Amino acid sequence: RHWLFGHLPLLVDRRGFEDRINRFLRESGKARILRLDALYRQEILLTHPETAMHVYKTAEPKGAGYRHLKPWLGDGLLLSTGKRWARDRRLLTRGFHFDILRGYLPVYKEAVAVMLDQWTQISRQGNGEQVNVSASSKLLTLDIILRCIMSFESNCQGGKERTTHVLEYLEAVLGITKCILTRYMSPLQQSDFLFRLSENGRDFYHYRDISHRTSKEVIDERRKYLDSAGGLSEGDQEELLKSASSRK
């Protein structure tokens, strides 16, 4: 720990920071809360699921770093607090009931099969190519979300030819993530004004616009389909009515 900058030098080297934290956790064994001091903020890291559970169940304001996500994600469930957070969480809880999720099992299986087929093809090539499990898992998650929530076949895993706007969206999300991490590590970019003037800030808002445009295209496409099909099916309407009555 530096006498002036605290743990900031560790935060700048993200890979080295993660390696040191993981090594410390292995050596300590019992640490559940870690405190990091930086020049411009203090961070508390929760390293055990039982400890984190108490935080996730509350509607307390999110950490200062979450505000960096607001231009991208808006004031939804992830970033909202107080009564709005409680209301949004209550509205979504029923949608994640096991009986409802069970109906999407065929979609999960199909999406996982695409990912496993790609891994199998790589292993059969026999050239020692490594599989990026993290990247594959992210594409799998995106594929399942789009198919279950929006009934949108994005082919984002590459099982078929990907559409142009899906590729743009994937690149935009990766770009946004990189920009947010860069801002998080930079004391000067904590200012919204200076962040907008920086090259990193311009890249962030460029990627954000691509992300929002693609999301709007998917929503508009789904809305047109529902309009042409005469709106929601009877089953969907009945499910909405049940959900509404259960919240009274």
Side-chain angles (χ1 to χ4, degrees):
R1 184 181 185 279
H2 192 272
W3 67 273
L4 175 61
F5 299 108
H7 297 101
L8 184 60
L10 293 178
L11 296 176
V12 173
D13 180 10
R14 182 171 179 79
R15 177 60 62 182
F17 164 71
E18 292 177 348
D19 291 342
R20 293 191 183 192
I21 291 296
N22 290 332
R23 185 170 65 252
F24 172 78
L25 292 176
R26 288 195 301 268
E27 293 174 354
S28 63
K30 298 182 179 180
R32 293 194 174 193
I33 300 177
L34 299 179
R35 172 179 169 178
L36 297 177
D37 296 317
L39 182 64
Y40 51 94
R41 65 153 59 96
Q42 291 182 342
E43 298 287 348
I44 301 296
L45 302 183
L46 306 181
T47 62
H48 194 279
E50 292 183 0
T51 308
M53 179 181 64
H54 296 288
V55 177
Y56 293 148
K57 292 173 63 176
T58 69
E60 295 298 322
K62 307 297 191 298
Y66 276 82
R67 71 181 182 86
H68 299 160
L69 299 171
K70 194 166 186 177
W72 176 33
L73 300 179
D75 195 19
L77 181 64
L78 178 62
L79 304 182
S80 61
T81 58
K83 293 182 178 180
R84 175 165 183 172
W85 175 87
R87 172 185 175 275
D88 291 346
R89 189 178 187 275
R90 186 171 63 252
L91 291 174
L92 285 174
T93 298
R94 180 175 172 79
F96 288 92
H97 191 277
F98 182 75
D99 290 338
I100 294 178
L101 295 178
R102 184 185 302 165
Y104 293 105
L105 282 177
V107 177
Y108 305 157
K109 292 180 179 179
E110 292 176 8
V112 171
V114 173
M115 181 182 70
L116 295 180
D117 287 343
Q118 292 181 341
W119 290 2
T120 301
Q121 293 176 9
I122 293 175
S123 65
R124 288 176 177 174
Q125 293 175 359
N127 55 9
E129 180 181 354
Q130 295 182 343
V131 174
N132 188 335
V133 178
S134 176
S136 297
S137 300
K138 292 175 182 177
L139 291 177
L140 171 66
T141 302
L142 177 61
D143 190 16
I144 291 175
I145 289 176
L146 289 175
R147 294 175 66 179
C148 291
I149 297 180
M150 302 300 298
S151 298
F152 181 74
E153 297 285 349
S154 66
N155 301 321
C156 62
Q157 293 193 83
K160 300 177 182 178
E161 184 178 356
R162 295 176 182 172
T163 55
T164 302
H165 62 285
V166 170
L167 287 174
E168 289 180 344
Y169 179 81
L170 295 175
E171 293 174 358
V173 171
L174 292 175
I176 289 172
T177 303
K178 182 179 179 181
C179 290
I180 290 176
L181 289 176
T182 300
R183 182 183 187 185
Y184 185 81
M185 305 299 182
S186 171
L188 292 179
Q189 293 187 31
Q190 302 310 302
S191 165
D192 293 338
F193 176 74
L194 294 179
F195 176 65
R196 280 184 171 272
L197 294 179
S198 68
E199 181 180 0
N200 185 51
R202 292 192 296 271
D203 289 343
F204 170 82
Y205 284 102
H206 168 70
Y207 291 129
R208 182 207 64 174
D209 291 343
I210 294 176
S211 171
H212 286 180
R213 184 178 67 246
T214 304
S215 300
K216 185 177 183 301
E217 289 175 355
V218 173
I219 293 173
D220 290 343
E221 184 175 330
R222 182 60 177 167
R223 181 179 289 117
K224 290 179 181 178
Y225 170 79
L226 290 175
D227 290 341
S228 64
L232 295 173
S233 65
E234 293 183 2
D236 291 336
Q237 293 179 15
E238 182 180 353
E239 185 62 39
L240 285 175
L241 291 174
K242 288 181 179 178
S243 179
S245 62
S246 66
R247 295 193 296 269
K248 292 181 180 180

